[in-house]
Amino acid sequence: MRFGKRFAEITQGSRANQPFISYKELKHTVSKISAVIGASGDNAGDSSGDDAGGASGAEDAVGGCSSALVVGVSPAGSSSVDNHQHEFFRQLDTDVMQAKAFVLSQVSSLEVIAGEWQSAAVLAGLLFTQEQLDEISAELKFQQPCQAALIEWVASLRSKECSPDARRDLVSKFNLVAEGVNSLLSYIELNLTALRKIFKKFVKKVPKGVHIQSTRDYRNHYDLFALSFQDLLVTTTQMQRVVASCARAEAGDMTTIAQVGPETLALITRLRAVGAECADGVEDVLGAPPPALIDVYAKPTVELAAPPAIVPQRGHT
């Protein structure tokens, strides 16, 4: 199935307040640019192929190039080409901004539930404040190798005392957070795929000599994998370890945190390359970076994920 059709099915089946990259509208704008330029052959029709394999080649940054440099484009056409490109990038900026706002709002809701889980874990004796650790350490008659070892040892003792009701409550709260994190991972992956696809189409149908902006230099979408979401992903992974260690009987009811998709991994690679700030511990969650930058124009190696779900809203003040 072509990407455009699959993307439309997913977005139409999503909740009303979930903003997505306007793939169809952006594709139409690219076609308008191509029509003004009067491209021929493969460039004239819609033959870029949503599912075409292989890379389109790296696009160098272009600055100050006039559309009058393209043979056959009149001054009026040159102005129209520029206007349509401004329309393209304005729409893209708006889409990315709305998607980022959606991610941040969902993260805020999930952070409330994660905070409830942490409070319950402290009461169950599975998480400890620094003061509690200092008191326990002072009472022990032997030297601890490190604080992490102390926490693991004490938690193993306390987990045996955790009541079945407390374990079920921890699993229930963890599942709410994990399901929300999985939905956001799917949501981000889908939008990044749409972004790569529309950039591939733009590069193929619009001659480089008329570009008013290089798609290679576009970075607004970097914020989709927001620092606050990275922190939440790390926290959820740590929560999963605690719940798995104390609630073995309920392990079958636990939600598994999804793997980060290839589009998101490519974005993370670029974030590292430009020295962007990343959350502490995110390297442990994601693993070692790939040996080289992933080509953003290459064909995806996985199927599109199912439509993301809205995070359950709870009556918090």
Side-chain angles (χ1 to χ4, degrees):
M1 181 183 293
R2 295 169 68 87
F3 173 78
K5 184 176 181 180
R6 176 60 175 150
F7 184 77
E9 289 179 354
I10 293 176
T11 55
Q12 290 171 3
S14 66
R15 301 293 180 88
N17 66 335
Q18 284 183 301
F20 291 92
I21 298 297
S22 303
Y23 181 79
K24 183 177 180 180
E25 290 76 8
L26 291 168
K27 179 179 172 182
H28 180 63
T29 302
V30 171
S31 296
K32 288 193 292 185
I33 299 172
S34 179
V36 172
I37 294 173
S40 60
D42 291 339
N43 219 27
D46 184 14
S47 60
S48 60
D50 288 328
D51 290 331
S56 298
E59 178 199 8
D60 297 327
V62 180
C65 293
S66 170
S67 53
L69 294 176
V70 178
V71 176
V73 178
S74 66
S78 172
S79 176
S80 181
V81 166
D82 289 350
N83 289 338
H84 286 319
Q85 287 190 76
H86 284 298
E87 175 189 345
F88 177 89
F89 284 104
R90 277 197 303 268
Q91 181 65 60
L92 195 57
D93 289 343
T94 299
D95 293 343
V96 170
M97 180 181 65
Q98 292 176 345
K100 175 188 174 182
F102 176 78
V103 170
L104 294 179
S105 69
Q106 295 294 286
V107 168
S108 296
S109 298
L110 291 170
E111 286 175 338
V112 173
I113 305 174
E116 291 181 352
W117 181 92
Q118 290 171 337
S119 297
V122 169
L123 293 175
L126 299 176
L127 292 182
F128 310 93
T129 65
Q130 187 60 52
E131 292 180 356
Q132 289 175 317
L133 292 174
D134 292 341
E135 291 177 4
I136 295 172
S137 181
E139 293 293 330
L140 295 176
K141 305 301 182 183
F142 56 88
Q143 184 69 29
Q144 303 88 42
C146 62
Q147 189 172 85
L150 174 63
I151 294 174
E152 182 177 357
W153 176 67
V154 177
S156 66
L157 297 177
R158 294 287 184 87
S159 63
K160 300 176 182 178
E161 304 172 4
C162 189
S163 69
D165 287 342
R167 291 198 299 268
R168 283 192 290 270
D169 184 53
L170 289 171
V171 170
S172 176
K173 287 183 171 64
F174 166 76
N175 284 347
L176 286 174
V177 178
E179 289 164 5
V181 167
N182 287 347
S183 293
L184 284 177
L185 286 172
S186 174
Y187 175 80
I188 293 170
E189 184 76 6
L190 181 59
N191 277 288
L192 291 177
T193 303
L195 186 73
R196 176 180 59 79
K197 286 285 190 177
I198 198 61
F199 275 166
K200 177 181 177 180
K201 191 174 294 290
F202 180 90
V203 169
K204 185 168 185 177
K205 295 174 82 69
V206 181
K208 187 169 65 174
V210 305
H211 289 183
I212 64 170
Q213 181 175 343
S214 168
T215 60
R216 290 285 184 182
D217 294 337
Y218 190 85
R219 295 184 178 181
N220 288 359
H221 62 297
Y222 285 13
D223 290 337
L224 285 179
F225 196 64
L227 188 60
S228 60
F229 179 58
Q230 296 178 42
D231 286 328
L232 179 63
L233 180 60
V234 173
T235 297
T236 308
T237 303
Q238 295 168 341
M239 290 166 59
Q240 180 174 250
R241 294 169 184 162
V242 173
V243 173
S245 66
C246 76
R248 292 183 176 87
E250 294 82 7
D253 298 326
M254 286 179 56
T255 298
T256 302
I257 300 175
Q259 292 185 338
V260 177
E263 303 285 355
T264 307
L265 285 175
L267 173 60
I268 295 166
T269 301
R270 292 194 290 275
L271 289 174
R272 292 186 180 118
V274 299
E277 182 181 6
C278 293
D280 293 337
V282 74
E283 298 286 348
D284 297 331
V285 174
L286 302 175
L293 288 175
I294 299 175
D295 187 351
V296 297
Y297 297 123
K299 184 177 180 180
T301 56
V302 296
E303 293 294 327
L304 290 176
I310 293 294
V311 174
Q313 298 296 318
R314 295 158 59 88
H316 297 297
T317 56

